[in-house]
């Protein structure tokens, strides 16, 4: 599932292809907006907010998309055929490029002035210009009995963390994922570390939290269930957190994450 750093890169890719260009075609393949047509309008820009993408178009319109589990935006030469079998949800094209949204989990078209209705509930964006660790901590503290593992994934607390950064951040801080938020002393250190990890990875594909970019060495616990911990040798545990049906994968080291 794409996390904040991947969404950030996607926004940059869309800016490169669409910003300042007049749309020569738009194709919404979702029932709700099947008749929408943005042809002739100039794309102003695309910004990311946590895992949400906002593509602003001339005339007070914003195309709101979310990659959810396995969606993506692909940029290719205008007129090129998309791969057969791709579940295309939206195409935005200009004379030179087309941006093709595949398996997008959300496609919406709203007034730009109403964007807050879509993303106003989000906590501070770890990769946004307005990142505010104190505000993220304040929001986390609002539910002290919640497990830190669940609280970190709740985008209303802070926006951009998914299962990879959750697992890696908690490992690096030595925190058991089921520890209650109210029992964690240095929440600021925790969210600041998460921010640094996302920031360090926003410029390239993949997630490297160990500082070692070789494929087998990139993470401490994520993707390493059953393998020995790089620090203490204990086999990495794998489980699920959260209430059904929203439980999500968690990996941790029972030797290192005692705190
Ligand atoms: Zn360990």
């Amino acid at each position: 599932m794409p996390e904040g750093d991947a969404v950030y890169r996607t926004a940059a890719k869309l800016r490169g292809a669409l910003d300042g260009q007049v749309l020569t075609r738009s194709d919404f393949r979702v029932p709700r907006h099947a008749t929408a047509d943005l042809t002739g309008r100039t794309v102003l820009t695309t910004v990311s907010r946590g895992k949400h993408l906002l593509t602003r178009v001339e005339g007070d319109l914003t195309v709101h998309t979310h990659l959810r589990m396995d969606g993506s935006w692909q940029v290719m030469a205008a007129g090129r055929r998309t791969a057969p079998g791709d579940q295309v949800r939206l195409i935005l094209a200009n004379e030179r490029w087309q941006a093709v949204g595949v398996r997008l989990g959300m496609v919406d078209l709203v007034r730009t002035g109403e964007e807050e209705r879509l993303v106003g509930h989000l906590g501070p964006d770890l990769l946004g210009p307005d990142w505010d660790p104190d505000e993220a901590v304040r929001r986390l503290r609002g539910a002290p009995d919640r497990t830190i593992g669940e609280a970190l994934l709740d985008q209303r607390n802070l926006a951009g963390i998914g299962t990879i950064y959750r697992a890696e951040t908690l490992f690096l801080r030595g925190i058991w994922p089921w520890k209650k938020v109210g029992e964690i002393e240095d929440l600021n250190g925790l969210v600041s570390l998460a921010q640094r990890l996302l920031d360090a990875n926003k410029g390239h594909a993949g997630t490297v939290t160990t500082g070692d970019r070789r494929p087998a060495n990139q993470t401490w616990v994520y993707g390493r269930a059953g393998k020995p911990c790089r620090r203490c040798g204990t086999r990495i545990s794998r489980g699920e957190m959260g209430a059904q049906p929203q439980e999500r994968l968690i990996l941790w080291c029972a030797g290192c994450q005692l705190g």
Side-chain angles (χ1 to χ4, degrees):
M1 179 170 186
E3 304 197 19
D5 57 332
V7 177
Y8 180 94
R9 283 194 298 281
T10 299
K13 185 165 70 173
L14 290 174
R15 285 195 292 273
L18 301 176
D19 272 21
Q21 303 298 315
V22 176
L23 291 171
T24 53
R25 179 186 175 207
S26 76
D27 185 356
F28 287 79
R29 299 186 188 171
V30 291
R32 196 163 164 211
H33 300 295
T35 59
D37 186 2
L38 303 179
T39 303
R41 294 175 190 262
T42 299
V43 174
L44 303 175
T45 194
T46 296
V47 297
S48 55
R49 282 289 308 275
K51 301 187 202 170
H52 296 253
L53 288 159
L54 302 169
T55 301
R56 295 171 184 151
V57 180
E58 178 185 46
D60 191 36
L61 289 173
T62 292
V63 179
H64 170 230
T65 56
H66 194 295
L67 308 180
R68 291 272 192 225
M69 295 310 283
D70 59 352
S72 65
W73 271 106
Q74 298 160 17
V75 170
M76 59 186 80
R80 206 177 114 191
R81 291 170 77 122
T82 56
D86 269 359
Q87 293 171 34
V88 176
R89 298 272 184 254
L90 174 58
I91 297 175
L92 297 173
N94 53 46
E95 281 196 339
R96 189 161 174 214
W97 300 111
Q98 61 179 342
V100 180
V102 178
R103 291 189 302 279
L104 298 174
M106 197 185 289
V107 175
D108 223 335
L109 183 62
V110 300
R111 295 276 162 207
T112 300
E114 294 175 3
E115 281 179 4
E116 280 302 296
R117 191 165 55 75
L118 303 170
V119 294
H121 65 287
L122 295 175
D125 180 355
L126 288 122
L127 294 180
D130 55 347
W131 164 240
D132 180 349
D134 294 335
E135 174 62 11
V137 167
R138 192 188 68 76
R139 290 179 178 227
L140 285 167
R141 286 203 201 289
D145 289 334
R146 225 171 161 201
T147 67
I148 186 62
E150 287 175 271
L152 285 179
L153 278 202
D154 188 335
Q155 307 294 301
R156 294 171 296 183
N157 290 329
L158 65 177
I161 294 181
T163 49
I164 302 176
Y165 287 100
R166 164 169 81 173
E168 296 295 298
T169 304
L170 290 174
F171 172 84
L172 284 165
R173 298 292 296 186
I175 295 171
W176 188 53
W178 284 268
K179 188 166 182 167
K180 288 195 163 60
V181 169
E183 294 169 356
I184 295 172
E185 286 175 19
D186 189 6
L187 278 173
N188 201 299
L190 179 68
V191 301
S192 296
L193 174 62
Q195 195 278 335
R196 288 200 299 279
L197 291 177
L198 267 99
D199 193 65
N201 282 287
K202 71 183 182 187
H204 58 83
T207 301
V208 181
T209 57
T210 55
D212 186 337
R213 297 186 72 154
R214 288 176 291 176
N217 297 11
Q218 295 178 351
T219 58
W220 294 100
V221 290
Y222 198 85
R224 300 197 67 242
K227 295 187 176 144
C229 172
R230 300 188 195 281
R231 279 189 177 158
C232 76
T234 302
R235 293 196 181 279
I236 301 299
S237 302
R238 178 186 196 281
E240 289 183 338
M241 287 196 86
Q244 292 181 335
Q246 309 210 308
E247 67 272 32
R248 302 269 306 276
L249 187 63
I250 181 71
L251 292 110
W252 75 100
C253 173
C256 291
Q257 291 172 256
L258 302 167

